[in-house]
Amino acid sequence: HQIIVCDQGPEFNSIFWEQLLAILRTTKKERRAGKAKEGSLVERVFNTTQQQFVTNLLGATDIVEQYFRSISPEVDPTRHAIWTLDRFDSGMERYLDQVYHQNNHSGIGMSPNAALALSLRSHGERQHLLIPYGDAFIAQSCPAVHRGTARVTPQGIKVNYRWFKCDEFLMPGMLDQNVPARYDPFNGGIAYTFVGGQWTECRSEHYAVFSKHSERAIRLATAQIRLRDRLNGRKEQMNAERLAVFLESLEGEEILAIQSR
């Protein structure tokens, strides 16, 4: 039996969160609203990470919040920020592996790595409680399409202006069926459908282009194309080919560079 404790934020009261916990056979317990001290352990981790890692990065803005009236433009940290989300993610991982987990923790009298090794010697690895990070788990944790389902057509299923296909759509009786569908927010070339009792990966047309971009980047490109059409007085249908051509153009690269920055 497993229990997860969370606060009463809206993301922890969603249907998707409840479904994922039910699939993983996990019980949810909510912390009382406005009682941050009841989550002191995780709150302390946030504070320690902020003090030891985040505030020491070039471009950290904690000093701006305290002394914003006395900071000149020459030393304004926001003008010297160089950390993209990808680089920050890899840096945070190195900090956790090489610093936080190896340093002595005053609350437990040892390092977190030593505490983990002691726990494994005492209780074993408990393999039956491990959750494999496979395709099924990834699909279950992805957001659903707008209506929750998509209709199977000869071209596949349509998700966010793009057609997605998989071999399972060729099975007898699949045509014109509404199937549960989800999309990967970090990989615009992949979607998932629930077919034959399991989640199946589908790939989009122009997969080589869309697989390099997130859904947010594709939405920004879509908005830019619509704006360009409106300024030129055109009414053209949005499709995957137009999106792919735009993403590969210099204008598309500029839009993505602005998002990355």
Side-chain angles (χ1 to χ4, degrees):
H1 187 66
Q2 300 181 82
I3 297 174
I4 186 169
V5 180
C6 57
D7 59 26
Q8 297 189 32
E11 65 271 21
F12 298 124
N13 289 317
S14 65
I15 295 176
F16 293 113
W17 177 247
E18 298 284 355
Q19 287 178 341
L20 183 61
L21 294 182
I23 293 171
L24 300 178
R25 299 179 181 178
T26 301
T27 300
K28 181 182 77 169
K29 286 194 174 182
E30 292 184 341
R31 198 172 71 196
R32 290 186 296 174
K35 301 292 182 180
K37 291 184 177 180
E38 293 183 359
S40 58
L41 291 178
V42 69
E43 298 290 349
R44 179 58 187 166
V45 171
F46 293 154
N47 187 43
T48 301
T49 304
Q50 184 81 9
Q51 292 176 346
Q52 295 184 353
F53 177 68
V54 177
T55 57
N56 293 310
L57 298 177
L58 187 63
T61 58
D62 59 309
I63 190 174
V64 178
E65 299 174 359
Q66 301 178 30
Y67 309 104
F68 68 95
R69 293 186 182 275
S70 58
I71 295 178
S72 62
E74 291 77 13
V75 296
D76 186 353
T78 59
R79 294 174 175 263
H80 303 283
I82 61 172
W83 289 88
T84 62
L85 184 59
D86 290 339
R87 294 181 60 200
F88 178 85
D89 184 60
S90 62
M92 173 69 98
E93 190 170 341
R94 288 201 304 272
Y95 159 74
L96 292 175
D97 290 340
Q98 301 173 13
V99 179
Y100 184 84
H101 289 160
Q102 296 185 21
N103 284 354
N104 187 71
H105 194 292
S106 60
I108 56 179
M110 62 184 75
S111 69
N113 279 348
L116 176 62
L118 180 62
S119 175
L120 292 177
R121 285 198 301 269
S122 302
H123 309 291
E125 295 185 356
R126 297 186 288 181
Q127 295 283 351
H128 63 288
L129 294 180
L130 295 179
I131 300 171
Y133 190 74
D135 291 339
F137 176 81
I138 295 175
Q140 290 161 359
S141 58
C142 283
V145 296
H146 178 61
R147 292 185 176 87
T149 61
R151 182 179 294 275
V152 179
T153 69
Q155 293 81 24
I157 60 172
K158 197 168 189 178
V159 178
N160 299 335
Y161 303 108
R162 306 187 302 282
W163 292 105
F164 291 79
K165 285 186 177 182
C166 65
D167 294 338
E168 282 71 12
F169 290 161
L170 301 177
M171 295 189 304
M174 286 301 303
L175 193 63
D176 292 331
Q177 294 295 316
N178 290 320
V179 294
R182 300 189 175 191
Y183 63 91
D184 190 332
F186 304 108
N187 186 338
I190 290 179
Y192 297 93
T193 57
F194 194 75
V195 180
Q198 62 181 0
W199 287 101
T200 303
E201 179 183 302
C202 303
R203 295 201 172 192
S204 73
E205 50 184 339
H206 305 290
Y207 173 80
V209 176
F210 293 124
S211 62
K212 297 183 294 184
H213 304 292
S214 67
E215 281 295 326
R216 178 172 174 79
I218 295 174
R219 287 174 183 171
L220 287 174
T222 303
Q224 189 67 19
I225 294 174
R226 291 190 183 281
L227 175 61
R228 188 172 59 183
D229 289 347
R230 187 163 60 249
L231 293 176
N232 294 330
R234 295 181 302 184
K235 292 184 179 180
E236 296 187 21
Q237 185 177 5
M238 187 65 63
N239 54 42
E241 184 176 358
R242 292 191 69 195
L243 282 170
V245 171
F246 180 83
L247 288 170
E248 292 294 285
S249 66
L250 292 177
E251 185 180 2
E253 289 185 12
E254 289 180 345
I255 295 296
L256 299 179
I258 292 173
Q259 180 211 0
S260 178
R261 182 169 180 265

